[in-house]
Amino acid sequence: MFRTASIFIAFLATAASAAPTVEATDRTRWDGLPSVRMKTTGLDVNLLNDWAEKVLASGECNIPGMRPNRFDIDKPYAVLVEPSGNVQRIIVGETGCAGLNSLLGTTVAQWAEEGRYRPTGAKEPRWYVGRIAFARQP
């Protein structure tokens, strides 16, 4: 957990000036947004699974049906993308656990930092939707 937290803190420190705002909510009409277009879509499932396992093992969260060795996370996210492809804001689907929300938000923010979102060609920033899904089964 400390290694992962250190990575998250280092990420925030290096990207603080350009970091998009990240929020978690369950009050977004995800289906009303167009799909996000990304340059690459790789997902480090092993890292996400290990982080989620540590969060769930810490006792920080009590989510019905989820345990450190058994969970299924499938949440939408929305990004406010500038015409250039830079991301201004990120909203992740509420998981019911601050640690898991951080995991999702950090993942999407890292993609923004890496420049994975394609330029939109629009005249102003627009919202787009995507999904993050990973699971661990015994």
Side-chain angles (χ1 to χ4, degrees):
M1 182 72 163
F2 292 114
R3 179 176 175 263
T4 308
S6 298
I7 292 170
F8 178 65
I9 291 167
F11 168 75
L12 289 178
T14 59
S17 62
T21 303
V22 180
E23 304 167 57
T25 186
D26 59 358
R27 296 183 177 174
T28 297
R29 285 189 18 173
W30 308 104
D31 59 345
L33 300 173
S35 294
V36 69
R37 292 183 47 209
M38 296 177 72
K39 296 174 184 174
T40 60
T41 57
L43 186 65
D44 189 343
V45 175
N46 289 330
L47 177 68
L48 295 175
N49 279 341
D50 289 348
W51 190 350
E53 179 181 332
K54 289 174 184 172
V55 169
L56 293 168
S58 74
E60 169 188 345
C61 307
N62 185 11
I63 302 172
M66 287 198 194
R67 296 184 301 278
N69 66 341
R70 183 181 184 87
F71 53 85
D72 186 353
I73 297 170
D74 184 352
K75 289 293 179 179
Y77 69 89
V79 286
L80 181 59
V81 183
E82 297 173 355
S84 65
N86 291 331
V87 175
Q88 289 181 355
R89 288 181 62 199
I90 298 167
I91 298 175
V92 296
E94 176 64 55
T95 64
C97 172
L100 294 178
N101 292 344
S102 292
L103 168 60
L104 299 177
T106 300
T107 301
V108 176
Q110 181 65 40
W111 292 341
E113 179 69 20
E114 293 170 357
R116 290 193 188 192
Y117 298 98
R118 292 180 184 235
T120 65
K123 292 182 181 182
E124 57 189 40
R126 292 194 179 164
W127 285 101
Y128 296 89
V129 69
R131 290 194 85 73
I132 296 179
F134 57 97
R136 177 163 284 162
Q137 304 297 326

